Amino acid sequence: MCQLLGMNCNVPTDIIFSFTGFATRGGRTDHHNDGWGIAFFEGNGVRHFVDYQAAVASPIADLIKSCPIKSKNVISHIRKATQGRVALENCHPFVRELWGRYWVFAHNGDLKNFMPTLDGPYRPVGTTDSEWAFCYLLQQLRKRFGDRLPVLAELTPALQELTEEIASHGVFNMMLSDGSALFAHCATNLHYIVRQYPFAEAHLSDEDLSVDFSQVTTPNDRVAVIVTEPLTANEVWTQFKPGELKVFVDGMPIE
């Protein structure tokens, strides 16, 4: 199946180090070679890049590795197709508008017999179970809250209910963000780490690359990285529990 990568920070931060290791799994150190994508929130806008080529062969992925785009919320995905052909419209993450905000979504897993009625404005463009689930999720949120943007304390339990409903149809590891928070739901496999002062050196598992974060950060910086499988060999990652939904704000999971 696919793999997910997310980043949530308290200050705009680039994801070059983490993405470099993650992209290597898109056809070199792992078999997720059916396309990839990444989305960066920047103010009210989103920089969105997708490619049906494997991440290790994509010139666009090379651009992301070399261009320090800074963001407080990033979602990336490397694809191993289970439903839907290898095509641009089936590459994650997907982007839609709700409540005057962009929402970015990516999914790892396989949903069986999941084709609920879509009777609102959201329709899939591609042919994946993932995009169908995203459209359904936004539709149900709109039905529940109407045109009113809910506060986080209202939105989180609603998302917990919806993710549990969708996950009853199969494997539903997902990431979702509106630029103010990052939601991550684990069905089978997700891990996270919070990097904060005092910072140390990190070494990638999939590439011979290290970064001493104490040299490129300030004592006030805080960065949460969420990923399917840990990206570094010398850091302690926390594994999600199956069925757990975590919300990250300003580089920390909130209870």
Side-chain angles (χ1 to χ4, degrees):
M1 288 187 283
C2 312
Q3 288 201 14
L4 301 168
L5 169 65
M7 184 180 73
N8 171 268
C9 321
N10 67 337
V11 295
T13 304
D14 77 69
I15 199 171
I16 289 177
F17 178 71
S18 294
F19 181 76
T20 297
F22 184 67
T24 304
R25 299 175 180 178
R28 183 173 301 142
T29 60
D30 215 327
H31 57 270
H32 306 86
N33 56 359
D34 294 329
W36 70 278
I38 191 168
F40 303 81
F41 281 90
E42 187 174 322
N44 292 327
V46 172
R47 296 180 187 266
H48 183 214
F49 304 86
V50 291
D51 194 352
Y52 55 80
Q53 296 185 76
V56 295
S58 169
I60 303 171
D62 290 340
L63 170 68
I64 301 303
K65 293 177 193 176
S66 61
C67 183
I69 300 173
K70 294 191 174 184
S71 173
K72 292 176 68 175
N73 286 281
V74 180
I75 292 178
S76 184
H77 180 275
I78 50 176
R79 185 172 185 237
K80 178 63 178 176
T82 55
Q83 295 187 38
R85 67 190 182 96
V86 177
L88 201 61
E89 66 269 21
N90 289 329
C91 293
H92 310 217
F94 303 106
V95 183
R96 296 288 194 282
E97 178 274 334
L98 174 63
W99 300 313
R101 294 183 176 184
Y102 285 119
W103 291 77
V104 172
F105 170 91
H107 165 228
N108 160 30
D110 191 15
L111 301 173
K112 302 297 186 184
N113 302 314
F114 183 74
M115 294 191 69
T117 300
L118 296 178
D119 54 10
Y122 302 105
R123 296 286 193 278
V125 176
T127 54
T128 64
D129 54 336
S130 306
E131 192 181 11
W132 199 286
F134 183 33
C135 291
Y136 177 73
L137 192 155
L138 293 183
Q139 171 183 286
Q140 296 309 103
L141 288 176
R142 194 179 194 95
K143 285 184 176 180
R144 182 172 302 207
F145 297 108
D147 291 328
R148 177 182 65 88
L149 173 65
V151 297
L152 194 60
E154 296 175 301
L155 181 59
T156 301
L159 283 172
Q160 181 71 63
E161 290 180 23
L162 287 167
T163 52
E164 289 175 0
E165 177 190 349
I166 298 170
S168 68
H169 291 267
V171 177
F172 191 59
N173 302 295
M174 75 90 187
M175 291 184 187
L176 174 73
S177 180
D178 69 339
S180 65
L182 192 151
F183 303 88
H185 176 264
C186 174
T188 55
N189 208 22
L190 274 180
H191 299 76
Y192 77 93
I193 191 169
V194 174
R195 296 190 180 113
Q196 57 189 343
Y197 183 84
F199 291 94
E201 183 176 88
H203 186 82
L204 289 175
S205 302
D206 297 84
E207 286 273 9
D208 186 15
L209 180 65
S210 297
V211 168
D212 183 353
F213 286 108
S214 68
Q215 301 300 309
V216 293
T217 56
T218 75
N220 297 321
D221 293 356
R222 188 169 59 242
V223 178
V225 178
I226 309 99
V227 71
T228 302
E229 294 287 353
L231 290 167
T232 56
N234 65 325
E235 296 179 294
V236 177
W237 294 74
T238 300
Q239 186 167 13
F240 283 61
K241 297 175 183 177
E244 187 173 26
L245 175 73
K246 284 190 175 293
V247 186
F248 294 83
V249 176
D250 291 332
M252 284 288 288
I254 62 175
E255 300 299 332

